[in-house]
Amino acid sequence: MTDYFVHESSYIDDNVEIGEETKIWHFSHILSGAKIGANCSLGQNVNVGNNVKIGDGCKIQNNVSIYEGVELENDVFCGPSMVFTNDLTPRAKYPKGRAKYQKTIVGRGASIGANATIVCGHTVGKYAMIAAGAVAVTDVPDYGLMAGVPAKQIGWVCECGAVLDINLSCKNCDRDYPFLKGI
Ligand SMILES: [Zn+2]
């Protein structure tokens, strides 16, 4: 018995765990060893690599590949066609193998905009927001708002997604973030 949904056009390899109420839409492929939490949504043409861990409540938009070495904590949003990597210096002729894949961790509640790239070996902090088209080449602080190529921090973002004002307050939900400082 399954308590999740997989569209008939998608492939789920052996030895995969998928949580309750998760939905996997058209033309996607989940590779062996992957663990996907509950209440996730994976759009069209999503590839989840071997042994990848995805937490609960994640939303992965169309055309995203989550390669081995990447881990998503709970409630992560991956915008359409955003890109992960797992090798800083790839060569077709000299493959390094999985033992040398670089790790990338995306913290709880973080959002990655459409067409952004997260260069491997970095941590995206919890509730951080990466703007559309940005190329993140550094660690990203919790609640950090990053934009540009290469991505730089241009502000702070609330857990709810609104940009914080100069007093580190959210006008949308009244949360305050006095512990954040410096950019
Ligand atoms: Zn807020």
Side-chain angles (χ1 to χ4, degrees), residues 158-162 164 170-175 177:
C158 182
E159 179 175 327
C160 79
L164 299 182
C170 177
K171 289 200 166 57
N172 187 51
C173 72
D174 291 331
R175 285 185 176 91
Y177 295 84

Side-chain angles (χ1 to χ4, degrees), residues 67-91:
Y67 300 113
E68 183 165 9
V70 175
E71 179 174 341
L72 309 184
E73 296 181 352
N74 296 342
D75 303 319
V76 168
F77 178 92
C78 294
S81 302
M82 62 76 51
V83 174
F84 288 108
T85 65
N86 64 6
D87 186 341
L88 282 175
T89 53
R91 290 291 198 208

